[in-house]
Amino acid sequence: MENIMFLLLWYAAAYIIVTAIGILHTIFNIAVLHMKSMKESEGMGEAYEKTKPWHPLYNIAVFPVFAYIYFSGLSSLSWETAALTSFIWGIVTVVFDVFGWVIIKHPWSLTFRQFYIEYQPWITFIYITIYASPFLAYEVMKFAL
């Protein structure tokens, strides 16, 4: 692995951007579309629930771009590099998610059931897109060369 710090830096940038987009989408639904928030309805609220189908799309739009940026900084690129990046990004996401959205309590935290069962199929699609993103970027770069 050529530069683990850059691998994690570009991952963190993508994760933060995707999370911010999701939060801003929920806020938009509350403020502009006047959907119910967590406080006004059951579960995570209507405003959040309406964003769920968009979550995998945010990820598939953002993560391959950051994989491409990461790969562009490497001296060489191989399928093995894409596979290792996919593995690391996927595992880090699962760990971040369980701590950031379930274990650490905050106003938007979820229970295990809400995150891993009620968030289906979206959480599965999100994980698939994150694992697939380095391969997508690799194929684009391979095709472009």
Side-chain angles (χ1 to χ4, degrees):
M1 182 66 17
E2 193 164 314
N3 192 330
I4 193 77
M5 291 308 295
F6 280 113
L7 176 117
L8 294 175
L9 171 73
W10 294 123
Y11 166 82
Y15 190 93
I16 290 166
I17 289 168
V18 165
T19 301
I21 291 169
I23 291 169
L24 291 171
H25 189 176
T26 301
I27 292 168
F28 174 85
N29 285 353
I30 294 167
V32 176
L33 301 180
H34 307 292
M35 292 182 187
K36 294 179 181 176
S37 69
M38 291 171 57
K39 294 177 184 177
E40 301 166 327
S41 61
E42 291 186 25
M44 291 303 295
E46 176 191 22
Y48 171 75
E49 292 296 326
K50 296 290 185 180
T51 68
K52 283 181 177 181
W54 294 92
H55 296 181
L57 299 175
Y58 308 149
N59 285 273
I60 202 65
V62 173
F63 271 90
V65 171
F66 283 88
Y68 186 96
I69 294 168
Y70 169 64
F71 292 156
S72 294
L74 300 178
S75 59
S76 65
L77 180 59
S78 66
W79 187 90
E80 290 79 12
T81 302
L84 189 55
T85 301
S86 169
F87 178 76
I88 291 170
W89 282 13
I91 296 301
V92 171
T93 300
V94 171
V95 171
F96 274 14
D97 282 353
V98 75
F99 280 95
W101 296 109
V102 178
I103 293 174
I104 299 170
K105 299 303 176 197
H106 53 80
W108 289 22
S109 64
L110 303 165
T111 65
F112 277 97
R113 178 174 179 72
Q114 287 172 316
F115 197 76
Y116 295 105
I117 296 172
E118 294 173 15
Y119 195 16
Q120 292 296 341
W122 313 116
I123 190 63
T124 298
F125 293 156
I126 289 167
Y127 289 156
I128 289 168
T129 62
I130 291 170
Y131 277 104
S133 291
F135 294 108
L136 293 172
Y138 170 76
E139 289 300 321
V140 166
M141 293 180 86
K142 189 172 87 170
F143 180 74
L145 298 175

